[in-house]
Amino acid sequence: MTEFNNVLLLGTGPTAIQLAVNFKNYFNSQVAIAGRESLRSKVFFETVVQHQLALKVDVQNKQHQSVAGECTIDALFKGYHLVSGNWDTIVLSITTDSYFSVLAQIDTTVLKRASCFILISPTFGSSHLITNFLKNLSPQAEIISFSTYYGDTRWLDGIPSNEVLTTGVKKTVYIGSTYANSVSVAKLSKLFRHLGIQLTKLASPLEAGTKNISWYV
């Protein structure tokens, strides 16, 4: 199994840009971003293409400099149905209510090739739903769930573009995997240590999902 050699990010929000920069620069991954076509994403796609797939993350506070950076991604898919290639890791940086509809649009060959699916900001039970969705396509795939996204990231000027501003970074984030001794989680722990974030491992993706603070406010 490979870990983070080829990473496909689903979603065209600010979070996807932050994740792309971190995966690209820390793991030297091949990185692609895919999103749905809409009026809002149209501006994103056009700007990223205009800048030749270059992305940039700025930070508001100097103590968060470790999450800042620039990178050039390797592919951009203007529509989930257009996704192609061999991606060992698929990162769901989209709203939880769109998990099924988005994955259903992606070529099943792409999904079958992936060995790891990462949920960035799930709701309770999201990991079970994804496991069930994949049981006939990729039953051996690892499902990793974070408790929540590790920062507060927004468009630099309030308009979708190739550049974002991260104004805050969490001190602790929880993570759980369907694999008890996950090499991917170990590698992510090193990345988060580099970013100055404590990544606390829990027994399962379901347990990690219960740590999302939005459930308690």
Side-chain angles (χ1 to χ4, degrees):
M1 181 183 295
T2 56
E3 295 86 20
F4 315 134
N5 287 340
N6 302 282
V7 178
L8 171 65
L9 296 166
L10 304 181
T12 55
T15 300
I17 293 184
Q18 176 69 82
L19 291 164
V21 167
N22 291 153
F23 273 102
K24 188 73 177 176
N25 291 342
Y26 187 80
F27 293 117
N28 195 30
S29 309
Q30 296 288 305
V31 174
I33 291 178
R36 68 184 183 91
E37 293 184 285
S38 67
L39 290 176
R40 191 171 182 82
S41 66
K42 183 175 185 290
V43 179
F44 169 81
F45 286 128
E46 288 177 348
T47 307
V48 172
V49 170
Q50 180 183 352
H51 288 83
Q52 299 180 314
L53 306 190
L55 308 178
K56 184 177 181 181
V57 175
D58 298 302
V59 291
Q60 183 170 278
N61 303 305
K62 290 183 178 180
Q63 65 265 36
H64 300 146
Q65 195 61 40
S66 57
V67 306
E70 301 178 37
C71 78
T72 299
I73 58 175
D74 302 280
L76 184 66
F77 298 106
K78 304 175 188 179
Y80 294 115
H81 63 290
L82 297 176
V83 173
S84 61
N86 187 7
W87 307 98
D88 58 68
T89 303
I90 295 179
V91 181
L92 283 73
S93 180
I94 50 179
T95 58
T96 55
D97 60 356
S98 65
Y99 281 178
F100 280 6
S101 62
V102 167
L103 289 175
Q105 295 176 60
I106 298 175
D107 189 332
T108 55
T109 302
V110 173
L111 298 178
K112 288 177 181 178
R113 288 173 177 165
S115 57
C116 180
F117 291 79
I118 300 178
L119 315 183
I120 295 299
S121 189
T123 55
F124 183 74
S126 294
S127 58
H128 281 180
L129 294 175
I130 295 299
T131 298
N132 287 334
F133 181 89
L134 296 171
K135 65 182 180 182
N136 294 323
L137 291 172
S138 187
Q140 300 303 316
E142 178 179 11
I143 310 299
I144 293 175
S145 178
F146 285 99
S147 54
T148 186
Y149 170 56
Y150 54 84
D152 183 357
T153 305
R154 58 196 67 179
W155 299 116
L156 186 62
D157 296 313
I159 300 171
S161 69
N162 69 316
E163 192 167 354
V164 297
L165 176 69
T166 291
T167 60
V169 176
K170 292 179 173 60
K171 293 182 179 179
T172 302
V173 174
Y174 297 90
I175 191 171
S177 170
T178 50
Y179 284 20
N181 298 304
S182 171
V183 175
S184 295
V185 169
K187 288 190 173 184
L188 288 169
S189 296
K190 292 180 179 179
L191 165 60
F192 273 60
R193 195 155 49 243
H194 168 74
L195 298 177
I197 303 167
Q198 173 64 44
L199 190 61
T200 301
K201 182 181 177 182
L202 298 177
S204 68
L206 180 64
E207 188 175 351
T210 65
K211 294 291 185 179
N212 191 326
I213 194 171
S214 64
W215 284 100
Y216 306 102
V217 295

